[in-house]
Amino acid sequence: MAAVTPEVLTSTHVEKMKKKKLPKRYWEETEKTDQSQRRPEEEQGKAGQNQNKSTVKEKSLKRKNGESLEKKDPFPGEAPIPQKQLQKFQRGKKCKVPAGARERLKEAIAISEAMSEHAQKQAARYDLLLPEDAGFLEGDEDEDTNTISQADIADAVDITSGSKYFNLHLSQFGPYRLDYSRTGRNLLVGGKKGHVACIDWQTKDLKCEMNVMETVNDVKWLHTEAMFAVAQKRWLYIYDSKGVELHCVKKFNDVLRMQFLPYHFLLATASATGFLQYLDVSIGKEVAAICTKMGRLDVMAQNPHNAVIHLGHPNGTVSLWSPNQKESLVKMLCHRGAVRSLAVDKTGTYMVTSGLDRKLKVYDIRAFKPLHSCFLPAGASCLSLSQRGLLSAATGEIVQVYQNVLGSNPVSKPYMAHRLRGQIWGLAYCPFEDVLGIGHGEGFTSMIVPGAGEPNFDALDTNPYRSHKQRQEWEVKALLEKVQPELIGLDPGQLSKVDQASFEQRHKEQIEALGFDPLAKDKFKPKTKKKGRSSAGAIEKRKRKVAHEDQRDEIRQSVQERTEREKELKEKSNEKKLGNKSTLDRFRK
Amino acid sequence: MQNENLVQISFFNQLMLVHPRKKQNERSEASVQVSEYFVNAEGTGDKVNLSDLLGTVEKTSGASNKTKKQLRNLQSSKETLELPLNKQQTEKIQRGIAYEKTTAEVSCWKNIILQNQKAEQMVFPLNQESSGPKRVEQVVAGWKVQTPLEQEIFRLLHGSRQPVNDPVLTPVEEQSLKAMSLEEAKIRRAELQKARALQSYYEAKAKREKKIKSKKYHKVQNKAKRKDFLKQFDEMVKTNPEGALEELKKMELSRMEERMSLKHQNSGKWAKSKAIMAKYDDSARKAMQEQLQMNKDLTQKMVVPSDDEHESIEEGLETVPDFVNDPETVIDPVNPWMRGQLTHEEPEVSCVTAEEVQTAEEENEEEEIIGEFERKRKLRQADEEDLIPTEEEHVVEVSDKEEEEDEEEDVSEFNTLFRLMRSEKTREGSNQTRGGLNTAGEEDEEGLLSEGQIRVRSIEDLEVLDEVVEPRAIEEPSAPQTAAAEATSEPPHKKKREINLKEVLTKEAKAVRLPFLPTVVDEEERDEQISIIKEAFAGDDVISDFIKDKSRQEAAGRPAVVDLTLPGWGEWGGVGLKPPRWKRKRFRIKTAPPPPRQDQKLPDVIISEKRTASVASHQVSQLPFPFQNTAQFESSIRTPIGSTWNTQTVVKNMTKPKVVTKLGAIIEPMVKEDFIKSKTTSAGGKGAAIMLGENRRAKEGTKRSKKREKMTTARSNS
């Protein structure tokens, strides 16, 4: 009983209060409408307030009446995001607010943290929209996957996938180099004896075919399918997709290998004369020409993560280059013999090298440390890494594909293998497809490698199915978002860091860059005076006066400093002396 | 009388002095009534003093004593008034006050300014009306009655208290309608009515009872109440022990109070008188005894039989009770120290130990033995906990099974098994650290490792596992293996082991088996090739070249020592003479060594130490304002804002402009009402949603009056 009464009491109390303050109705007095007209927004605000209040009341009422009235949400709150996905989009470490921070700092950090967390969460949520998954090849029991032949695979898979295994018999113009366009639709092949052709390899539609009547060292697509570069015997040529010669770049001679940096619009070339040159294809200018002093450069790869060019040298070293530095960023000794081939993975974490000492080595190029190495009996002449991290190596006439090479576990046996006729000269994975293109002495072979390509593509960046219009739009946007060559460096996040160089250092750099000191004092120029006071002697005197003054200032300053120092020393010594002497010393015998 | 007259005249003169302009000419016309103002001034020389006036005040009876007193005080005080401050000082003070006032006035803007500075986005003009469709009430509120017909209609409507727009309800009403259906509302209303009625009855009853003056009645009442309470308490002990405890506490408190006071100790006035009467009067004696009884009752300790005691008593029937050794149970809820018992051991339900405990009880041995058992058991438990986490499942599973099967056997088996496994594990661990190369041993270990990974669910599984492990251990070492085969047959368990980079550096490369024969080079051929390569590269030692290159680079990076010695200064000069040591020491300037090279610990890597100046021109070189160190700033810009890395909504959110202005709208400076208004609305949210002119004015009026009151009170206080 005692427990019940207080509740009743309180309810009645509330009721009484209600009686006292009857809600005012709007019809009670309408005479002074002009006043209400003045500030409608105020009323609005009040109305809003009231609404809020009443909703609160409503809720409480509902709760009192019983839970049955409310429909309970079986999954309350936001949909949870798995930790793994969140981690995938984690960018950097969170910043902790220091203990004694100012209010403004706290707020700034809080806002930025909240924003980045929101961005991370949203990105993780949208990861849902990447539904495709990579496949892989699975053998029967006691069956090695590398014994499965391409013909078997082509028979087993659907027709469209099966058609991706094909051979082009081009035995005349000798071993072929090849390159896939960034979208993976177009294929460019260049035979050593001058045969150049570009093909839409999926439809087998030949776009253009020609013979340049010269040795072809390398072929490379530029930013779109409309243009490609061919490194010929002497110069570098640029053709369009119809095979029309657009440019002959005579600044680039004896080019052996080429790499195209898509986000910088840079074509990097390595020549037989030991020059590494960068051509900006958006403005047609040579950005940098670096004499590497390392002899003939015929091994080249790019790091897609930071756009650094890797070069392999005959003395077993691999050097890393950026267009901003005349010397190599890093030089690492990888093999005891010459380096034969190089490949860098998509994330810029691993580098795979093969050398004349017939070893295949995997490096962690963030720490520049070797992870593991293995011995290939025939050595690998060509290396290529797929988007999903499959490594293909050309050993003699055989192409081997390795799985799980990148990482700490060593290579044991190939995932797949395919035998060809003739020497292998070019090896490249097709982006977004499970296809490996092989250029060899007898032509070109397209090989099916399950699990090679990235299953999900970024349609705004590289869309294999883009239309003509979309390509145009993409080109404009890409040009607008072009990354300047100055930003190439080992650390791609350098730009988001604070430059901590001292003022002197920066000043020195400025002087170097400009060729003069912008902060230097002007030389004293005496005024011309009349009445013979501007004679040569007088001018010289005046000049000397000023010069003396400058000198005097310096001397005065140094003298002052010295005297101060001496004073301090003296004081110190005095203190020492005094410290030794005590008043009680006089009583000593 | 004359004296009075004189006084009046002089007073008049004083008045004249005060208002010299209103000096009137004397009029000498004869009149019937003689005005006091036109009396001739005689004796104008002597002025009236305050004392003269006071004298009359003293005599007049009408004046209050208070004023008289005050006046007397005034008269007696000799202090002169202080000089007024000079102009500069007064102005200074005034300026100070004005400054304070203006700061107070301006500082009310401070919050809004801060708020606007902090705001992520500001939209100007500030008070924009929402672009969407307005509510009907808002539109109606802005409408003005114009024509006489309309006025007439509205008057009628107001007279009959009809809503102006029929379907339109106030938001409050709407909400209330939404809140509950009619039936619910009715039910609720009925409930409330009933409660109210009950309340009123109850109140009336209480009032009536309170008015009753009869002592006897109250006594009876109290007794009844106490009885009731006791009943309730008994019930409460069963149903609501916490509440009972509370009540108990209350009782305890009353007891304490009783013990402190002398209320029922028969020491009061009344008691003493009664004591005298007690000899003769029976009723007085009774009353006294009653008092004493009351005291006894109140000071008596409450002993509530607790559940523990019941149990212990029940146990005590069979064996010697546990609490024999414990101190006497004194349940004193106030004193927590008295509640505790000496080490009370909870009866363990653990299946493993049950048996042991039973035996202990049977033998009825001394405590030492029990203690020993305890220790052993604890040790074993610790052992079990050390094992892999899957074993916890075992424990549970096993304990379930025990009920069906024979306990002891299983348990002992289980324990021995785990002990065995554990010893194996440790052995294996030690092997791993040793890192021996013998393959057979390794294979054995791997077998054990795999054993560790199999999840065991029950005893049967355990047995199966035991069988599985053994044949493997026998099989594997028997198979001879080459190095290559070992590499191929390496089970995936090896992934667990972390690769030591240093170890890899020195490790021999592993040969790879190929599926196609021709590429596999025979051993002889291989050796030949190696020798050929060696010959080919005999001339150029790649490694030493590289080391030289590196040392050259390091040397270039080191700052050179500047030698400023001038031979021949202050000493003999000539060919073959070296400058003395002191000179060399003094004039050779060494600069501080550079920071350690990045490739210091990487023997086969040269990392360029040159600073990349090209990026520096694009970098931030000075820390922006609120940040205290670079780490904070860098982390604040670590998230990219571009659409390549973010979803569309996030990009929009991140790149929204700080200030948005409406095109063509006049942006007027902020008015005080803009933000004060928001405060008032938040304060007085209870009023009706729509308030027309009169109401608001009334409200404002009340507010104003309140303000005024406040002001006045403040003034009076100061």
Side-chain angles (χ1 to χ4, degrees), chain B residues 471-509:
Chain B
R472 251 201 173 191
I474 298 159
E475 269 174 30
E476 303 231 316
S478 66
Q481 282 171 335
T482 59
E486 183 199 335
T488 53
S489 67
E490 251 175 346
H493 309 301
K494 273 224 159 178
K495 273 181 210 163
K496 271 183 165 180
R497 226 202 268 167
E498 276 187 45
I499 278 223
N500 189 359
L501 290 175
K502 280 265 165 89
E503 208 179 317
V504 173
L505 254 172
T506 55
K507 235 187 207 171
E508 272 300 299

Side-chain angles (χ1 to χ4, degrees), chain B residues 546-668:
Chain B
F546 188 83
I547 289 168
K548 262 183 217 164
D549 194 7
K550 184 164 180 178
S551 60
R552 210 182 304 134
Q553 289 255 359
E554 278 172 357
R558 246 174 264 135
V561 178
V562 184
D563 195 355
L564 294 173
T565 47
L566 284 173
W569 273 95
E571 73 207 3
W572 289 106
V575 183
L577 278 175
K578 260 190 181 177
R581 183 178 278 173
W582 67 267
K583 213 175 193 182
R584 267 182 286 159
K585 215 176 184 181
R586 189 162 171 202
F587 291 103
R588 273 180 144 195
I589 297 161
K590 279 180 192 172
T591 44
R597 285 179 69 89
Q598 279 176 290
D599 53 11
Q600 202 182 20
K601 285 173 185 172
L602 301 165
D604 50 356
V605 178
I606 304 170
I607 299 174
S608 162
E609 292 283 315
K610 258 193 184 171
R611 207 174 89 86
T612 48
S614 57
V615 192
S617 58
H618 299 277
Q619 273 176 314
V620 175
S621 57
Q622 273 171 334
L623 208 59
F625 159 55
F627 300 102
Q628 285 174 330
N629 56 37
T630 50
Q632 287 166 4
F633 174 64
E634 278 163 16
S635 85
S636 79
I637 58 165
R638 69 175 198 270
T639 312
I641 54 171
S643 58
T644 316
W645 301 274
N646 286 313
T647 58
Q648 198 57 44
T649 49
V650 172
V651 171
K652 250 187 196 170
N653 213 357
M654 278 174 146
T655 57
K656 71 181 173 193
K658 179 101 175 127
V659 174
V660 175
T661 52
K662 197 182 169 190
L663 212 66
I666 299 165
I667 300 168
E668 296 200 0

Side-chain angles (χ1 to χ4, degrees), chain A residues 315 317 333 335-336, chain B residues 537-552 603 606:
Chain A
N315 61 356
T317 55
L333 183 65
H335 292 278
R336 305 195 66 167
Chain B
F537 296 105
D540 40 30
D541 188 358
V542 170
I543 295 170
S544 67
D545 278 355
F546 188 83
I547 289 168
K548 262 183 217 164
D549 194 7
K550 184 164 180 178
S551 60
R552 210 182 304 134
I606 304 170

Side-chain angles (χ1 to χ4, degrees), chain A residues 97-98 101-110, chain B residues 626-628 632:
Chain A
V97 182
R102 278 172 293 177
E103 201 61 30
R104 288 291 291 271
L105 173 63
K106 271 183 198 168
E107 271 158 22
I109 289 175
Chain B
F627 300 102
Q628 285 174 330
Q632 287 166 4

Side-chain angles (χ1 to χ4, degrees), chain A residues 342-442:
Chain A
L342 262 178
V344 184
D345 92 310
K346 196 178 72 174
T347 60
T349 315
Y350 303 103
M351 176 176 76
V352 187
T353 63
S354 74
L356 263 186
D357 57 355
R358 296 187 288 172
K359 274 183 185 166
L360 183 82
K361 287 191 174 179
V362 180
Y363 279 84
D364 183 347
I365 42 171
R366 294 172 302 179
F368 307 111
K369 276 179 179 166
L371 289 180
H372 50 85
S373 69
C374 62
F375 188 85
L376 293 173
S381 61
C382 278
L383 289 175
S384 176
L385 273 168
S386 85
Q387 285 174 325
R388 299 276 299 176
L390 294 188
L391 173 73
S392 62
T395 55
E397 295 176 334
I398 296 168
V399 173
Q400 300 174 44
V401 181
Y402 292 95
Q403 216 176 13
N404 299 325
V405 178
L406 310 176
S408 50
N409 45 333
V411 183
S412 54
K413 59 178 178 180
Y415 167 60
M416 289 182 80
H418 187 57
R419 184 119 186 242
L420 300 152
R421 245 179 281 150
Q423 186 202 358
I424 295 169
W425 223 45
L427 211 55
Y429 280 100
C430 180
F432 310 112
E433 291 285 350
D434 289 346
V435 164
L436 171 67
I438 307 157
H440 48 86
E442 294 293 305

Side-chain angles (χ1 to χ4, degrees), chain A residues 82-373:
Chain A
Q83 196 60 37
K84 212 174 168 187
Q85 260 176 28
L86 269 180
Q87 216 155 25
K88 192 172 156 193
F89 295 96
Q90 173 96 40
R91 293 179 202 284
K93 270 183 191 170
K94 265 191 174 179
C95 178
K96 267 189 186 172
V97 182
R102 278 172 293 177
E103 201 61 30
R104 288 291 291 271
L105 173 63
K106 271 183 198 168
E107 271 158 22
I109 289 175
I111 286 170
S112 76
E113 285 303 326
M115 195 48 93
S116 57
E117 199 175 320
H118 177 59
Q120 182 192 354
K121 267 187 185 171
Q122 286 297 314
R125 267 188 212 293
Y126 276 60
D127 204 25
L128 194 80
L129 302 177
L130 306 176
E132 302 297 328
D133 222 352
F136 55 92
L137 197 61
E138 200 172 18
D140 295 334
E141 276 179 43
D142 310 325
E143 189 192 23
D144 270 341
T145 48
N146 54 28
T147 55
I148 300 170
S149 73
Q150 282 295 311
D152 288 345
I153 294 173
D155 282 342
V157 295
D158 57 308
I159 291 172
T160 42
S161 300
S163 70
K164 284 169 189 171
Y165 167 62
F166 62 92
N167 283 302
L168 301 177
H169 294 286
L170 310 159
S171 53
Q172 272 190 49
F173 299 106
Y176 279 84
R177 284 259 152 84
L178 73 149
D179 186 37
Y180 284 102
S181 65
R182 279 192 73 222
T183 54
R185 286 294 291 211
N186 293 295
L187 172 71
L188 180 67
V189 289
K192 186 154 195 181
K193 286 164 195 159
H195 179 219
V196 176
C198 49
I199 314 152
D200 186 340
W201 67 272
Q202 276 172 335
T203 56
K204 316 285 189 301
D205 175 23
L206 185 66
K207 289 261 179 78
C208 81
E209 190 178 20
M210 59 180 167
N211 200 321
V212 296
M213 309 299 281
E214 237 181 350
T215 316
V216 169
N217 288 321
D218 202 1
V219 286
K220 210 85 199 165
W221 284 110
L222 297 188
H223 55 285
T224 59
E225 297 89 37
M227 275 192 282
F228 59 87
V230 179
Q232 293 177 22
K233 192 185 174 189
R234 290 209 66 187
W235 318 121
L236 173 73
Y237 287 83
I238 289 173
Y239 297 92
D240 78 348
S241 59
K242 297 221 165 64
V244 180
E245 182 187 316
L246 297 176
H247 301 288
C248 167
V249 192
K250 290 201 174 170
K251 257 192 174 175
F252 290 68
N253 57 328
D254 303 313
V255 175
L256 292 179
R257 291 306 216 121
M258 292 189 290
Q259 284 292 334
F260 185 71
L261 308 173
Y263 296 105
H264 302 77
F265 287 83
L266 287 182
L267 183 71
T269 63
S271 68
T273 54
F275 268 87
L276 172 66
Q277 284 165 297
Y278 287 87
L279 175 72
D280 192 330
V281 297
S282 64
I283 52 175
K285 252 190 186 173
E286 188 191 41
V287 169
I290 304 161
C291 179
T292 59
K293 296 170 197 162
M294 302 284 244
R296 193 181 155 85
L297 305 171
D298 58 352
V299 181
M300 191 185 197
Q302 66 160 306
N303 185 342
H305 178 58
N306 54 14
V308 164
I309 294 292
H310 292 226
L311 295 176
H313 304 291
N315 61 356
T317 55
V318 170
S319 54
L320 276 59
W321 300 86
S322 89
N324 305 312
Q325 203 164 317
K326 293 286 170 201
E327 63 177 34
S328 61
L329 300 170
V330 177
K331 201 192 268 182
M332 37 199 312
L333 183 65
C334 294
H335 292 278
R336 305 195 66 167
V339 178
R340 286 180 82 186
S341 185
L342 262 178
V344 184
D345 92 310
K346 196 178 72 174
T347 60
T349 315
Y350 303 103
M351 176 176 76
V352 187
T353 63
S354 74
L356 263 186
D357 57 355
R358 296 187 288 172
K359 274 183 185 166
L360 183 82
K361 287 191 174 179
V362 180
Y363 279 84
D364 183 347
I365 42 171
R366 294 172 302 179
F368 307 111
K369 276 179 179 166
L371 289 180
H372 50 85
S373 69

